[in-house]
Amino acid sequence: MSSIFIHVGQCGNQLSLPLWNNFLKSEASTHPGVYTSLDHYHRSLHIDSEPKVIQSLPKKFKIRDRNVIVGKRGRGTNFALGYHGLKSSGDDHVLENVIESSRKEIERCDSYSGAIVLHSLSGGTGSGLGCRIIETLRNEYPCKQILSCSVLPYESGESPLQSYNSLLALHCLHSFTDSVVLLQNDRLSSHLMKTVSSDALKRISFSDMNQLAADQLSGIFLPTDTLSTSKGVSINQEPWEIVRTLTPMPSNKFISLYQHKSAKLSWDDLVSKTLQRQPKFLSNGKNTRSLGATVIARGDSSNTFLPCMKRGIDKKIKRSLGTVDWNPYPIDCWTAKMNSIGGKGHSSLTLAVNDSSVLDPFSTISSRAGIKLTSGAYLHWYRRYGMTDEMFEESMETLKSVIENYKDATASESL
């Protein structure tokens, strides 16, 4: 079974650098051919509306020329411009080229499972064009899965339009994807600030954040022994097993990732460190609760993680995550002897959780976008490129529905 990776916009392509380094490190060890075709080219597409970031892709990456698709100009941090394109200036070829290159890459797969799209929710290309690609893929391949890995902007603000772009993008993702992995810039920064020395705080960069995000994604994407065949051959089922186990309800499809790496800690301590990453309270003071979680232990060369789980770590995880009582099997466990994440000799523990912590960023987006909509701020920039008021209203209703669905699903009483 094979998947293709689609990197869209500046964020998606910058994230591709550390992510594919992790993939290639894994392929060089024990899992050849999982992320590359028979001719050793990557199963990936790299799309941007301008060439600057695309040109920085390293030469060691074997990417087909037709899978690198670049437009003539940027999308002005505008979802509508990214979604509808620049037809007036002849730059509407990008979407058509993406779908054609995707088709050819899919035809090279032995058994195509689905597409994994990496993009930002704040920029015009990542949000608008990324969502248009997802919508088109859903229409072209309705029976295949789509997983979005979406980067949420800083709550403090990267652009005055980010609440609009995130609102419109979340509506599209909720409508056309099977699952969404949310990578929040605020959480990534907080993680790095807690793990580096005071002298290194001044040097935290977007490259550091991209590496952390790539390590977290690698935790759920890289092959595991649990989902490999009896002969140790990976069938690349990990991304789609995450979708199946954590998002069984289409109304609750957002996944958060938490991770810790160490060469010295026991599994019990590694679990405790990882659980500390997950927010325990919402901004309103209520406890966060989870619908389900997948725990992935890598570097388990001595096969000790599952026995540790049976000795009580599973109860610690359930208690810390506040798993809902209506789910009889809220925790799934995977293990892998090899670990391509972190330094030499490190073990890693990755926690993929469908929990109510998404309520805080979603409520912030809804509130800020609602204030702007009421005053009519910036709407002319979106109307100019084909976005209607009805689309904004529909997106607001979708996000409010998602918020209510999470509140209902994680309510304290049994359903």
mmCIF file of all heavy atoms in Angstrom, residues 23 69 89 98 101 111 167 227 231 267 290 310 379 411:
data_model
loop_
_atom_site.group_PDB
_atom_site.id
_atom_site.type_symbol
_atom_site.label_atom_id
_atom_site.label_comp_id
_atom_site.label_asym_id
_atom_site.label_seq_id
_atom_site.Cartn_x
_atom_site.Cartn_y
_atom_site.Cartn_z
ATOM 1 N N PHE A 23 12.500 10.296 6.725
ATOM 2 C CA PHE A 23 12.037 9.184 5.897
ATOM 3 C C PHE A 23 13.213 8.446 5.258
ATOM 4 O O PHE A 23 13.270 7.210 5.262
ATOM 5 C CB PHE A 23 11.114 9.700 4.793
ATOM 6 C CG PHE A 23 9.755 10.152 5.273
ATOM 7 C CD1 PHE A 23 8.895 10.835 4.421
ATOM 8 C CD2 PHE A 23 9.330 9.896 6.561
ATOM 9 C CE1 PHE A 23 7.642 11.249 4.844
ATOM 10 C CE2 PHE A 23 8.082 10.312 7.004
ATOM 11 C CZ PHE A 23 7.246 10.989 6.145
ATOM 12 N N ILE A 69 6.056 22.118 -8.868
ATOM 13 C CA ILE A 69 5.106 22.978 -9.589
ATOM 14 C C ILE A 69 5.107 24.366 -8.951
ATOM 15 O O ILE A 69 4.828 24.513 -7.751
ATOM 16 C CB ILE A 69 3.695 22.362 -9.542
ATOM 17 C CG1 ILE A 69 3.730 20.953 -10.161
ATOM 18 C CG2 ILE A 69 2.692 23.258 -10.250
ATOM 19 C CD1 ILE A 69 2.517 20.119 -9.854
ATOM 20 N N SER A 89 -4.087 36.616 -15.044
ATOM 21 C CA SER A 89 -2.686 36.754 -15.451
ATOM 22 C C SER A 89 -2.112 35.443 -15.967
ATOM 23 O O SER A 89 -0.906 35.282 -16.071
ATOM 24 C CB SER A 89 -1.844 37.265 -14.277
ATOM 25 O OG SER A 89 -1.921 36.370 -13.187
ATOM 26 N N VAL A 98 -0.922 20.192 -10.820
ATOM 27 C CA VAL A 98 -0.884 19.385 -9.585
ATOM 28 C C VAL A 98 -1.705 18.115 -9.754
ATOM 29 O O VAL A 98 -1.259 17.013 -9.403
ATOM 30 C CB VAL A 98 -1.398 20.208 -8.387
ATOM 31 C CG1 VAL A 98 -1.593 19.306 -7.171
ATOM 32 C CG2 VAL A 98 -0.436 21.331 -8.045
ATOM 33 N N SER A 101 0.050 15.704 -12.245
ATOM 34 C CA SER A 101 1.228 15.072 -11.650
ATOM 35 C C SER A 101 0.827 14.091 -10.551
ATOM 36 O O SER A 101 1.445 13.035 -10.397
ATOM 37 C CB SER A 101 2.170 16.139 -11.084
ATOM 38 O OG SER A 101 2.697 16.943 -12.113
ATOM 39 N N SER A 111 -0.410 -0.078 -4.701
ATOM 40 C CA SER A 111 -1.798 -0.061 -4.241
ATOM 41 C C SER A 111 -2.007 1.265 -3.517
ATOM 42 O O SER A 111 -1.598 1.427 -2.365
ATOM 43 C CB SER A 111 -2.080 -1.239 -3.307
ATOM 44 O OG SER A 111 -3.397 -1.174 -2.793
ATOM 45 N N LEU A 167 -10.280 30.161 9.243
ATOM 46 C CA LEU A 167 -11.710 29.843 9.263
ATOM 47 C C LEU A 167 -12.137 29.160 7.977
ATOM 48 O O LEU A 167 -12.766 28.084 7.997
ATOM 49 C CB LEU A 167 -12.506 31.132 9.462
ATOM 50 C CG LEU A 167 -14.034 31.013 9.328
ATOM 51 C CD1 LEU A 167 -14.610 30.282 10.530
ATOM 52 C CD2 LEU A 167 -14.664 32.396 9.186
ATOM 53 N N LEU A 227 2.587 -2.918 12.753
ATOM 54 C CA LEU A 227 1.770 -2.906 11.536
ATOM 55 C C LEU A 227 2.516 -3.451 10.319
ATOM 56 O O LEU A 227 2.038 -3.316 9.197
ATOM 57 C CB LEU A 227 1.280 -1.490 11.259
ATOM 58 C CG LEU A 227 0.391 -0.866 12.340
ATOM 59 C CD1 LEU A 227 -0.023 0.539 11.962
ATOM 60 C CD2 LEU A 227 -0.828 -1.728 12.615
ATOM 61 N N LYS A 231 7.069 -11.030 8.138
ATOM 62 C CA LYS A 231 8.430 -11.031 7.596
ATOM 63 C C LYS A 231 9.132 -9.693 7.818
ATOM 64 O O LYS A 231 10.260 -9.502 7.368
ATOM 65 C CB LYS A 231 8.400 -11.344 6.096
ATOM 66 C CG LYS A 231 7.802 -12.695 5.737
ATOM 67 C CD LYS A 231 8.678 -13.840 6.226
ATOM 68 C CE LYS A 231 8.119 -15.178 5.759
ATOM 69 N NZ LYS A 231 8.966 -16.308 6.221
ATOM 70 N N TRP A 267 10.797 3.591 30.046
ATOM 71 C CA TRP A 267 9.533 3.803 29.338
ATOM 72 C C TRP A 267 8.526 4.518 30.227
ATOM 73 O O TRP A 267 7.778 5.384 29.760
ATOM 74 C CB TRP A 267 8.961 2.466 28.867
ATOM 75 C CG TRP A 267 9.681 1.865 27.712
ATOM 76 C CD1 TRP A 267 10.317 0.663 27.662
ATOM 77 C CD2 TRP A 267 9.858 2.444 26.406
ATOM 78 N NE1 TRP A 267 10.877 0.446 26.434
ATOM 79 C CE2 TRP A 267 10.606 1.519 25.636
ATOM 80 C CE3 TRP A 267 9.465 3.638 25.817
ATOM 81 C CZ2 TRP A 267 10.962 1.776 24.312
ATOM 82 C CZ3 TRP A 267 9.816 3.887 24.494
ATOM 83 C CH2 TRP A 267 10.556 2.964 23.762
ATOM 84 N N SER A 290 -10.149 13.257 26.091
ATOM 85 C CA SER A 290 -9.783 12.681 24.799
ATOM 86 C C SER A 290 -10.758 11.593 24.389
ATOM 87 O O SER A 290 -11.272 10.841 25.224
ATOM 88 C CB SER A 290 -8.363 12.122 24.844
ATOM 89 O OG SER A 290 -8.284 11.015 25.703
ATOM 90 N N LYS A 310 1.330 -3.188 30.320
ATOM 91 C CA LYS A 310 0.478 -4.104 31.073
ATOM 92 C C LYS A 310 0.665 -3.964 32.577
ATOM 93 O O LYS A 310 -0.210 -4.348 33.355
ATOM 94 C CB LYS A 310 0.766 -5.546 30.650
ATOM 95 C CG LYS A 310 0.366 -5.846 29.205
ATOM 96 C CD LYS A 310 0.724 -7.269 28.811
ATOM 97 C CE LYS A 310 0.342 -7.558 27.365
ATOM 98 N NZ LYS A 310 0.722 -8.938 26.949
ATOM 99 N N LEU A 379 -13.116 42.416 3.982
ATOM 100 C CA LEU A 379 -13.927 41.541 3.136
ATOM 101 C C LEU A 379 -13.767 41.867 1.651
ATOM 102 O O LEU A 379 -13.871 40.976 0.799
ATOM 103 C CB LEU A 379 -15.403 41.649 3.533
ATOM 104 C CG LEU A 379 -15.804 40.982 4.852
ATOM 105 C CD1 LEU A 379 -17.290 41.176 5.115
ATOM 106 C CD2 LEU A 379 -15.458 39.501 4.841
ATOM 107 N N ALA A 411 -18.205 15.361 26.846
ATOM 108 C CA ALA A 411 -18.943 15.681 28.060
ATOM 109 C C ALA A 411 -18.672 14.613 29.119
ATOM 110 O O ALA A 411 -18.384 13.465 28.823
ATOM 111 C CB ALA A 411 -20.437 15.774 27.755
#
